[in-house]
Amino acid sequence: MITWFIIGITVVVSYLAFQNPNLMEKLQFNAARVVHQKQYYRLISHAFVHAGWTHLFVNMLVLYFFGKPVETFFSYFFGKKSVVFFLILYFGGILVSNLSSLMKHKDNYYYNAVGASGAVSAVLFTFIFLNPWEKLYFFGLIPIPGILFAAGYLLYSWYMSKQENDHIAHDAHFLGALFGFIFPILLKPSLFRSFIDQLFFLM
């Protein structure tokens, strides 16, 4: 249910921001305003607004497909704490994915970013960590084992973050994904052995 709740809130807030540019401006990530004007809420609020309907749809679709299975796994491994841990995963993904941009653009008032991509990447990579050989469908068509998708995704995000020739926060994708991979290990270190066993048992 928490996945549905996050999707619902994100869709509503994004829609309101589409209709109200002032609201969009107040909620979007701006590192300079966070650092110099202490508008710390922007570290979280930017994940609930998006650049457009396509941006919103893609993020929420990925969250829908992978958030629900991760909730189920967390319920199995952590019982009553599963909801809290899922929320920490999601909001931790938001915060961690900001770190590079926060340092890089702390004096740039013209740099703005929106979207839940960092948090969604965290959820996706937790799913891959728990199911490394589960097939994901690239562009919704091409089946590819999750662990291979993860390796390609990280390499691509790292490379593109160095290029800085588009307007996509690739560093946020990279850091969010990395957090999603590490977080389950922090919660239950024995899961790493399970990951290794799955990885090599099925190779």
Side-chain angles (χ1 to χ4, degrees):
M1 291 299 294
I2 193 64
T3 296
W4 278 113
F5 180 76
I6 292 172
I7 290 173
I9 293 294
T10 304
V11 169
V12 169
V13 175
S14 291
Y15 171 75
L16 293 174
F18 293 157
Q19 310 304 312
N20 186 344
N22 289 330
L23 179 62
M24 178 72 78
E25 192 282 327
K26 289 179 181 178
L27 298 182
Q28 64 192 0
F29 177 76
N30 184 290
R33 294 186 184 279
V34 170
V35 172
H36 299 295
Q37 298 181 7
K38 304 186 187 307
Q39 295 180 3
Y40 301 122
Y41 71 90
R42 291 179 183 268
L43 293 169
I44 295 292
S45 65
H46 77 278
F48 292 91
V49 291
H50 287 75
W53 284 110
T54 301
H55 188 206
L56 174 64
F57 176 77
V58 169
N59 271 341
M60 294 304 98
L61 186 66
V62 174
L63 179 59
Y64 169 77
F65 279 119
F66 298 103
K68 293 169 67 179
V70 170
E71 280 192 71
T72 300
F73 278 107
F74 274 22
S75 180
Y76 174 78
F77 288 120
F78 307 118
K80 294 179 180 180
K81 297 179 180 179
S82 61
V83 172
V84 172
F85 287 162
F86 187 88
L87 288 173
I88 294 174
L89 168 66
Y90 192 82
F91 285 92
I94 295 173
L95 291 171
V96 169
S97 66
N98 285 328
L99 293 177
S100 177
S101 294
L102 189 64
M103 293 184 288
K104 190 184 303 181
H105 299 288
K106 62 183 177 62
D107 296 315
N108 182 3
Y109 279 90
Y110 295 101
Y111 176 84
N112 299 293
V114 295
S117 298
V120 172
S121 293
V123 173
L124 171 60
F125 269 65
T126 291
F127 176 85
I128 293 172
F129 172 78
L130 295 169
N131 305 269
W133 292 108
E134 184 75 19
K135 287 186 172 59
L136 309 184
Y137 285 83
F138 194 52
F139 293 119
L141 297 171
I142 306 169
I144 179 172
I147 192 64
L148 298 183
F149 173 88
Y153 184 90
L154 288 174
L155 286 172
Y156 175 78
S157 297
W158 176 81
Y159 175 78
M160 292 302 293
S161 70
K162 299 299 181 184
Q163 303 304 304
E164 295 186 342
N165 56 5
D166 58 19
H167 298 289
I168 299 173
H170 295 285
D171 50 352
H173 296 174
F174 182 90
L175 291 173
L178 204 59
F179 175 75
F181 190 87
I182 294 172
F183 184 66
I185 303 172
L186 298 178
L187 294 178
K188 190 178 178 67
S190 62
L191 288 174
F192 184 68
R193 179 56 186 267
S194 176
F195 167 75
I196 295 297
D197 288 344
Q198 290 186 73
L199 198 59
F200 291 101
F201 178 73
L202 293 176
M203 283 185 67

